[in-house]
Amino acid sequence: MRTLPARRLAAVALTAAASVVALAGPAFAHVTVNPGSAAQGGYTAVDFRVPNESDTASTVKLEVNLPLDHPLASVRTLPMPGWTAAVEKAKLDKPIKVHGSDVTEAVAKITWTADAGVKVAPGQFQEFRVSLGPLPTDADSMAFKALQTYDNGDVVRWIDESKDGQPEPAHPAPVLKLTKATAGDAHGATATASPAAGAHGDSSDHAAASDGDKTSSDSTARTLGVVGIVVGVIGTAVGIAGLRRKSGSAS
């Protein structure tokens, strides 16, 4: 009879561990930029990684807004079978200099729309690749506000900006961190490629591509934190159960 409380305690601990994982799960499913960082002043290629978070609906459209406070002269989308990319440009209030020439407009928005019969189904994700540059030299990050549309009409707005010292918002905007260029970077670029690699929205003869595909360090840290919590809960339950068994045997 003395073993029943220990079993119940173990069951409660396992339930608590499962709850921790369930609560932490949605934090891993944000729309993100991968890789999550690039060198200031250079050209790079990034993937906007879009997980399908619904159990009953599929993703059929992604809209990504590019910040015009730090306009990018060269923006190209990688052709992707089954999806159509539309690029919208906007006039700049103040022209920017790129390789000695004035650039008066920049890409403000990219919209990917799925063709008939194409979708990102539940349990799947899709990556939308873009080459960008030159990246600003006077900023340490760029936020790309995104809208994810499902085939049932639901729209998830990934537009909230994270702030230091505060909890992560429910729907954070994808962020590309910008690091100081090093001597090893070619013209401050993280990677370079032939202009033929891109297909849409370019306003310069320069483009870039990167083979790196890294998961953000924030996601990794959250994963390790969840694993630590689960292991701690289970370990505590096992320890207490052992003590109860020893106590029962001694009495």
Side-chain angles (χ1 to χ4, degrees):
M1 296 297 293
R2 292 178 179 272
T3 59
L4 184 58
R7 290 176 181 173
R8 286 180 176 173
L9 180 61
V12 170
L14 291 175
T15 301
S19 299
V20 170
V21 174
L23 290 173
F28 302 151
H30 299 334
V31 173
T32 56
V33 179
N34 297 278
S37 64
Q40 294 176 342
Y43 293 80
T44 191
V46 299
D47 293 315
F48 289 98
R49 184 174 297 166
V50 181
N52 193 90
E53 295 186 308
S54 173
D55 294 329
T56 58
S58 299
T59 299
V60 292
K61 185 167 70 172
L62 174 69
E63 302 167 71
V64 175
N65 294 278
L66 282 67
L68 290 180
D69 55 343
H70 290 97
L72 299 169
S74 175
V75 177
R76 296 184 179 188
T77 61
L78 184 69
M80 187 165 59
W83 294 80
T84 300
V87 175
E88 298 179 26
K89 294 184 178 181
K91 289 287 185 181
L92 300 178
D93 295 333
K94 182 180 179 180
I96 58 174
K97 286 281 187 181
V98 178
H99 303 296
S101 300
D102 286 336
V103 175
T104 60
E105 64 178 13
V107 173
K109 182 179 179 181
I110 307 173
T111 301
W112 287 271
T113 305
D115 298 341
V118 177
K119 58 187 178 182
V120 185
Q124 298 180 345
F125 73 94
Q126 182 65 60
E127 293 182 330
F128 301 84
R129 173 156 282 212
V130 182
S131 67
L132 308 167
L135 300 173
T137 58
D138 59 347
D140 56 12
S141 66
M142 298 182 72
F144 299 88
K145 296 183 178 181
L147 276 66
Q148 180 181 7
T149 301
Y150 288 87
D151 56 7
N152 64 355
D154 290 346
V155 178
V156 181
R157 300 169 62 83
W158 302 97
I159 62 173
D160 298 332
E161 295 189 17
S162 301
K163 296 182 179 180
D164 293 339
Q166 296 187 11
E168 185 179 61
H171 298 95
V175 174
L176 177 66
K177 295 182 179 179
L178 302 178
T179 59
K180 295 293 184 182
T182 64
D185 293 326
H187 304 294
T190 56
T192 57
S194 166
H200 302 281
D202 189 21
S203 58
S204 170
D205 288 335
H206 293 270
S210 172
D211 293 330
D213 187 17
K214 304 175 181 177
T215 303
S216 69
S217 59
D218 289 342
S219 294
T220 300
R222 285 195 295 265
T223 301
L224 293 175
V226 171
V227 172
I229 293 172
V230 173
V231 172
V233 170
I234 294 175
T236 301
V238 172
I240 294 176
L243 290 175
R244 286 179 177 270
R245 284 196 297 270
K246 289 181 179 180
S247 177
S249 299
S251 60

